[in-house]
Amino acid sequence: MKARFGWMTRAAATAVAFGSCFVATAFAREAPKQPNIVFVFSDDHAYQAVGAYQDPRKLLDTPNLDRIAREGVRFDRCLVPNSICGPSRATVLTGKYSHANGFYNNSNSRFDGAQPTFPKLLRQAGYQTAIVGKWHLHSDPTGFDYWNILPGQGIYYDPDMIEMGVRSRRSGYVTDVVTDVSLDWLKKRDRSRPFLLMSQHKAPHRPWSPAIRHLGHDGDRTYAEPPTLFDDYAGRSLAERDQDMTIARTMNANDLKLNDFKERFSPDQRAAWDAYYKPRNEAFRRANLQGDDLVRWKYNRYMHDYLGCIKGIDENVGRILKYLDDEGLAEDTIVVYASDQGFYLGEHGWFDKRWIFEESLKTPLLVRWPGVVKPGSIEPRIVSNVDFAPTLLEAAGVAVPADLQGRSLVPILRGEAPADWRKSFYYEYFEYPDPHHVRPHHGVVNDRYKLIRFDGPDLDAWELFDLHNDPHELRDVYDDPANAEVVAELKRELERLRRDLKVPAKLPREAYGTAPFIEPTPAPAR
């Protein structure tokens, strides 16, 4: 059997180079080879739309993603510190929360590429490093031998890409293009050195444009509805009622492909697109649906389009897995699949993310590491994308910065059960009022409860949810006297986490984005 571990290498030199902010990882074993790392990252991929997570609606088969779970581990409680695209990417790179790495929101934050990141440290330890696809951090990548990124959000058809600073147009569907470029880099790499490849997809981000080959993939299926599709937000605060992310009100004609949808289609692609959508749109208009029936139609159109994008992701993950198999690299390569956060697929009547609630807080995480991870494992403990950086550094035998706010998952991947593993998790969200009018909030999460503090300019409110008795998070029980002790304990834990994570008492104005924002005037505490 091939050697698969690399606990030795250049950790000591890296620690010296970066000074006292690093601590060495300790392993008893050494091996002659560091593992390769393939990190595949999607945008807005809900765990509900991964077959391995067994959503009751059975939305989609994802055989290639399921293969990673079958041959590795499925994490059932991977939580994000700030459920939004750019901040999540900054957290992955730095192993730090938004308030620590300086990237708070998608509106006006800009990533400081001078700060330490795990790709920089791997590169200094001898790894070849590359990032391909969605970057979305408003600065050029640093710490990579090769980068080829989508500008901004990117587009689905014939996307522009920026290769080492030079912009050009690529022909094809964006998920295929990102994988083409990723595989091309793998084929040209220095085969004498280990590698890190971050292959990062735009899909399935709004406006959810499937590849032409996936139009009609579901045979006009009528999808089972989530139990909360028609949530009326009763029993909760103004925050849940006064948002702008519902399928009923917010989803527009472009999202639903009811207009002259603009993409960089070739004539043949435009003809195929119109052949699918136009007759269905005409039938929709003739039906003149109203009320709940209209919401149901929108939900089903959304599912067709969104899940069609996921089919493209799954196929392209399969292409990368096949390359690793064909090249004899699979046994020596850690494969990670994750999304930047979760996403609403009709739950609470919503799409998008941002909230501390389960569907946006929890992201899919699948990891295959032959010889280390027991195939078919299911991991219930609270982990996070803030843990990715220390995990991949430790797996490579590279010293881990002492100031990282995450924790290495290597012991868990090896089947150990650390007695001091986290029992609670801190969450923070800032961007307000645009887009989607989700109020700033922070909170603490454990295996049973969520305590949330909304602290926007026009709302100072607490909420408590009991996930055991209310798994869909429909009833705020903060004011129930029976929960007074729970609330007090969670407030103490919240303050401990904020103190340990060095959360500032007052954030800079730019943390909230570019839209007009009035400084909070606290309401009487509940």
Side-chain angles (χ1 to χ4, degrees), residues 195-361:
F195 63 81
L196 163 71
L197 169 64
M198 302 182 76
S199 184
Q200 304 198 158
H201 294 288
K202 170 185 174 60
H205 194 279
R206 191 181 187 189
W208 318 300
S209 301
I212 295 297
R213 65 183 181 272
H214 293 138
L215 297 179
H217 68 90
D218 59 0
D220 292 318
R221 169 185 173 184
T222 298
Y223 288 90
E225 298 168 6
T228 59
L229 179 61
F230 297 102
D231 192 352
D232 62 5
Y233 316 113
R236 282 151 285 170
S237 76
L238 176 68
E240 289 91 339
R241 298 192 302 274
D242 184 31
Q243 39 65 33
D244 185 22
M245 52 184 283
T246 63
I247 292 173
R249 293 183 291 106
T250 312
M251 202 170 273
N252 60 41
N254 195 65
D255 297 328
L256 296 164
K257 319 302 185 292
L258 288 168
N259 57 3
D260 184 18
F261 192 79
K262 303 297 183 187
E263 271 284 2
R264 287 178 179 163
F265 292 130
S266 69
D268 287 347
Q269 288 170 333
R270 169 56 74 183
W273 186 272
D274 290 346
Y276 177 78
Y277 283 104
K278 279 191 172 181
R280 289 166 176 80
N281 291 348
E282 290 167 1
F284 162 72
R285 292 185 178 100
R286 288 194 301 271
N288 192 28
L289 301 174
Q290 305 292 325
D292 289 356
D293 289 338
L294 176 57
V295 172
R296 289 190 172 98
W297 185 91
K298 290 180 178 181
Y299 166 71
N300 279 279
R301 170 61 60 89
Y302 171 37
M303 288 298 93
H304 167 271
D305 295 350
Y306 179 93
L307 296 173
C309 294
I310 301 298
K311 286 186 72 69
I313 294 284
D314 188 72
E315 289 174 355
N316 280 281
V317 167
R319 293 175 63 198
I320 289 180
L321 295 178
K322 183 177 186 302
Y323 176 83
L324 297 176
D325 290 341
D326 292 347
E327 294 294 311
L329 294 168
E331 293 295 295
D332 300 312
T333 302
I334 299 171
V335 176
V336 179
Y337 181 82
S339 178
D340 47 5
Q341 68 272 314
F343 209 69
Y344 292 95
L345 302 184
E347 298 88 357
H348 302 289
W350 291 337
F351 66 96
D352 208 69
K353 54 264 185 178
R354 302 173 193 273
W355 301 90
I356 195 174
F357 303 126
E358 286 296 287
E359 291 82 7
S360 50
L361 175 69

Side-chain angles (χ1 to χ4, degrees), residues 72 76 200 241 281 289 336 422 427 444 493 518 521 526:
D76 281 357
Q200 304 198 158
R241 298 192 302 274
N281 291 348
L289 301 174
V336 179
R422 69 169 66 91
Y427 181 82
V444 58
E493 180 65 3
I518 302 169
T521 302
R526 290 172 58 196

Side-chain angles (χ1 to χ4, degrees), residues 452-521:
I452 309 165
R453 169 85 183 278
F454 292 99
D455 53 358
D458 57 353
L459 180 67
D460 188 339
W462 292 88
E463 290 185 337
L464 176 71
F465 293 90
D466 180 345
L467 299 181
H468 285 190
N469 294 319
D470 178 25
H472 299 303
E473 298 172 293
L474 297 174
R475 299 187 305 277
D476 169 23
V477 293
Y478 180 87
D479 286 329
D480 186 337
N483 293 318
E485 186 175 337
V486 170
V487 167
E489 180 181 346
L490 289 172
K491 284 186 175 180
R492 288 191 294 271
E493 180 65 3
L494 180 61
E495 288 309 307
R496 182 193 71 81
L497 290 169
R498 286 173 62 87
R499 184 171 58 253
D500 289 353
L501 293 167
K502 298 180 173 60
V503 181
K506 184 176 176 62
L507 293 164
R509 163 64 189 86
E510 57 267 22
Y512 299 96
T514 56
F517 181 87
I518 302 169
E519 288 297 323
T521 302

